[in-house]
Amino acid sequence: MTAVDAGMVIVGAGECGARAALALREGGYQGRVTLVGGEPHPPYERPPLSKDAMTGDDQPSPRVIASFEQLADLRIAFLAGSPVTAIDREARSVVLADGRSLSYERLLLATGSSPRRLAIAPASPRIAYLRTFDDALALREQMTPGRRVTIVGGGFIGLELAASARRRGAEVTLIEAQERILKRGVPEAVTEIVHKLHAGNGVEVVLGIAIVSVEADNARVRIALADGRAIEADSTVIGIGAIPETGLAAAAGLAVDNGVAVDARLRSSDPDILAAGDCCSFPLAVYGGRRVRLEAWRNAQEQGLLAARNMLGAGENYASVPWFWSDQYEMSLHIAGLADEGVTTVRRDLGNGAFVLFHLADDGRLVAASGIGPGNSVAREVRLAEMLIARRAMPDRARLALSDYRLKSLLAA
Amino acid sequence: MSEWIEACSADEIDEEDVIRFDHGNRTFAVYRSPDNEYFATDGLCTHERVHLADGLVMDDIIECPKHNGRFNYKTGAARGAPACVNLSTYPVRVEAGKVYLQIG
């Protein structure tokens, strides 16, 4: 079969891929743009899947980034429900599951990540993972008043689902193998607050105990723990992290290093193939080129936008500081930078239980900020801290603790 | 119809900052610009109904605290993904140290 000339081809129609497609048009590109997605829906936002899609009205719909009509109006060819099976670098084409072949001028891999599977868990309709809108709809049905749900994993997905399940009236036990929740990337002072919130909202949190077996029949899921306990529930959700979707890249011989390995311009080891979002690992300039992979909404969006500019020849480096938030009941936590880059911490209290921790490197440089408080009460301070981190600022340690010391004044300096 | 409502004292808002003002069942964001002028918009981001008053004001831009959608608070114009729907703006006047909105 001969390949269809598809112009700029984007594989993956999540936040990153969709933003890239739109940005190609915003950047004035007039040629063909083809966006290939594995799901039947128009591109949609994933953050609500663990939150509003669970707790909202009876007929949730995905929060759409661009509708089929909007994409058509922009002359973006959107191939929904079309998994890609291979990249043929020599022919400069991608092959779809239905046998079609699309030749590309440049290719962007925005394939995202998929939930890490718990190897000892059997396949069962009562054992679920969360990645897609359809996953979320199925999960909603499990989280009804009086039903008992076990959640495996005390990361952000597990915790947000626990909060949503409680809101829907389900009984929740959350099992985390580590000795505290959110161990990766969140300071202990913040996780303590999150832990108390969940306990106060009736979530039973089981910490530091390994799971030895998971059994499911058509009514119950039984999880046996290393201390001899067994936890029974009507259903189980597993949220133990995500793994980058690198299968296509690896099979095509592209360098893979905890994600499709890209340079600061998001180019893979084949300069005509870029990768962006959850599926790629990239050097973070602000930490001396430390290679990281992020699973965060804004990173997906910003890298999608940058990839589009670079597909058009801009040659720009990715220079953002990692930033994300998570809603937990009436509180939100916001984190900028990578807290493990810090060696000392300065705490600033903002009132109403809200506080921000500033993480400083040994030379006094601000490298991260983590905050938690009611609503979005820490958002502004953490956002300002993010800008200061990008500028490699070295704020006065004693004054940082004072809430009337305006971070914005440091930006002007 | 278009009545003037007292929102706050002029000095309750720092320069280049924003506060939230609730009136009836509506919520607004009231801004003081770096050049000491006052403005008002709807209080909730058009993208996901987040209170903009928790966001960051930089020059004439308000940035949503959750998704970094940006708006020019003087005109209401959306200025960056994911925000694509403009904010409504409201006339503001300052008299005797008080800020009034015409919310009609």
Side-chain angles (χ1 to χ4, degrees), chain A residues 182-237:
Chain A
L182 295 175
K183 192 162 182 212
R184 197 181 61 155
V186 183
E188 199 163 357
V190 175
T191 56
E192 265 173 31
I193 306 283
V194 177
H195 188 144
K196 280 183 193 150
L197 264 175
H198 281 273
N201 279 281
V203 176
E204 186 194 356
V205 181
V206 177
L207 294 177
I209 301 170
I211 292 173
V212 293
S213 71
V214 182
E215 292 162 24
D217 58 27
N218 51 19
R220 307 284 286 171
V221 180
R222 186 172 183 277
I223 296 180
L225 301 177
D227 65 357
R229 258 187 293 176
I231 297 171
E232 289 212 8
D234 298 299
S235 55
T236 292
V237 195

Side-chain angles (χ1 to χ4, degrees), chain A residues 325 327 376 380 383 408, chain B residues 16-17 47 53 57 63 66:
Chain A
W325 85 95
D327 294 333
N376 290 312
R380 198 185 317 204
R383 180 76 174 98
K408 205 188 250 181
Chain B
E16 199 179 40
D17 208 349
H47 169 248
V57 177
E63 182 186 78
K66 269 273 155 52

Side-chain angles (χ1 to χ4, degrees), chain A residues 267-285:
Chain A
R267 292 177 301 192
S268 72
S269 52
D270 178 336
D272 287 326
I273 303 178
L274 292 83
D278 289 21
C279 74
C280 79
S281 69
F282 62 97
L284 257 184

Side-chain angles (χ1 to χ4, degrees), chain A residues 58-375:
Chain A
D58 289 338
Q59 287 292 325
S61 53
R63 188 183 301 133
V64 168
I65 298 165
S67 66
F68 292 119
E69 294 75 20
Q70 286 168 321
L71 292 168
D73 286 349
L74 290 165
R75 294 183 302 108
I76 294 168
F78 178 42
L79 309 181
S82 303
V84 172
T85 55
I87 303 168
D88 182 340
R89 286 167 60 193
E90 211 153 289
R92 299 171 63 87
S93 65
V94 296
V95 181
L96 305 184
D98 61 12
R100 275 183 294 173
S101 181
L102 308 173
S103 72
Y104 58 80
E105 183 181 336
R106 291 215 168 80
L107 174 64
L108 171 61
L109 297 175
T111 47
S113 57
S114 57
R116 184 186 301 280
R117 302 278 152 172
L118 181 65
I120 58 171
S124 161
R126 298 196 165 267
I127 299 176
Y129 296 84
L130 176 61
R131 177 67 187 170
T132 65
F133 181 72
D134 295 343
D135 293 341
L137 283 188
L139 263 178
R140 258 176 84 91
E141 302 306 313
Q142 307 290 329
M143 295 181 173
T144 49
R147 296 200 53 155
R148 183 162 280 284
V149 180
T150 43
I151 294 174
V152 177
F156 285 110
I157 294 289
L159 291 165
E160 289 180 357
L161 283 171
S164 296
R166 288 300 298 145
R167 275 202 184 152
R168 283 180 67 77
E171 302 297 320
V172 179
T173 303
L174 185 142
I175 304 167
E176 166 57 56
Q178 302 286 337
E179 69 280 9
R180 67 178 173 95
I181 56 171
L182 295 175
K183 192 162 182 212
R184 197 181 61 155
V186 183
E188 199 163 357
V190 175
T191 56
E192 265 173 31
I193 306 283
V194 177
H195 188 144
K196 280 183 193 150
L197 264 175
H198 281 273
N201 279 281
V203 176
E204 186 194 356
V205 181
V206 177
L207 294 177
I209 301 170
I211 292 173
V212 293
S213 71
V214 182
E215 292 162 24
D217 58 27
N218 51 19
R220 307 284 286 171
V221 180
R222 186 172 183 277
I223 296 180
L225 301 177
D227 65 357
R229 258 187 293 176
I231 297 171
E232 289 212 8
D234 298 299
S235 55
T236 292
V237 195
I238 297 170
I240 54 171
I243 49 178
E245 286 283 2
T246 56
L248 286 174
L254 300 176
V256 171
D257 175 7
N258 179 34
V260 182
V262 297
D263 65 9
R265 297 185 189 180
L266 307 178
R267 292 177 301 192
S268 72
S269 52
D270 178 336
D272 287 326
I273 303 178
L274 292 83
D278 289 21
C279 74
C280 79
S281 69
F282 62 97
L284 257 184
V286 72
Y287 303 126
R290 171 178 169 183
R291 182 163 287 275
V292 297
R293 188 176 70 79
L294 300 177
E295 294 159 5
W297 177 82
R298 192 179 69 177
N299 180 67
Q301 178 179 95
E302 289 193 342
Q303 289 196 338
L305 298 174
L306 178 67
R309 292 199 297 275
N310 285 348
M311 287 168 94
L312 301 180
E316 284 177 48
N317 288 340
Y318 190 67
S320 292
V321 172
W323 174 91
F324 69 92
W325 85 95
S326 173
D327 294 333
Q328 307 279 336
Y329 306 97
E330 308 311 321
M331 307 275 269
S332 284
L333 64 90
H334 290 244
I335 294 184
L338 301 177
D340 65 4
E341 291 277 333
V343 293
T344 55
T345 299
V346 175
R347 178 178 168 129
R348 171 184 291 203
D349 284 294
L350 303 176
N352 292 322
F355 65 89
V356 176
L357 304 176
F358 296 102
H359 308 277
L360 303 161
D362 51 10
D363 61 358
R365 193 160 59 95
L366 181 67
V367 287
S370 337
I372 188 165

Side-chain angles (χ1 to χ4, degrees), chain A residues 398-409:
Chain A
R399 294 176 73 194
L400 261 186
L402 308 173
S403 63
D404 60 356
Y405 180 47
R406 287 169 56 96
L407 296 181
K408 205 188 250 181
S409 66

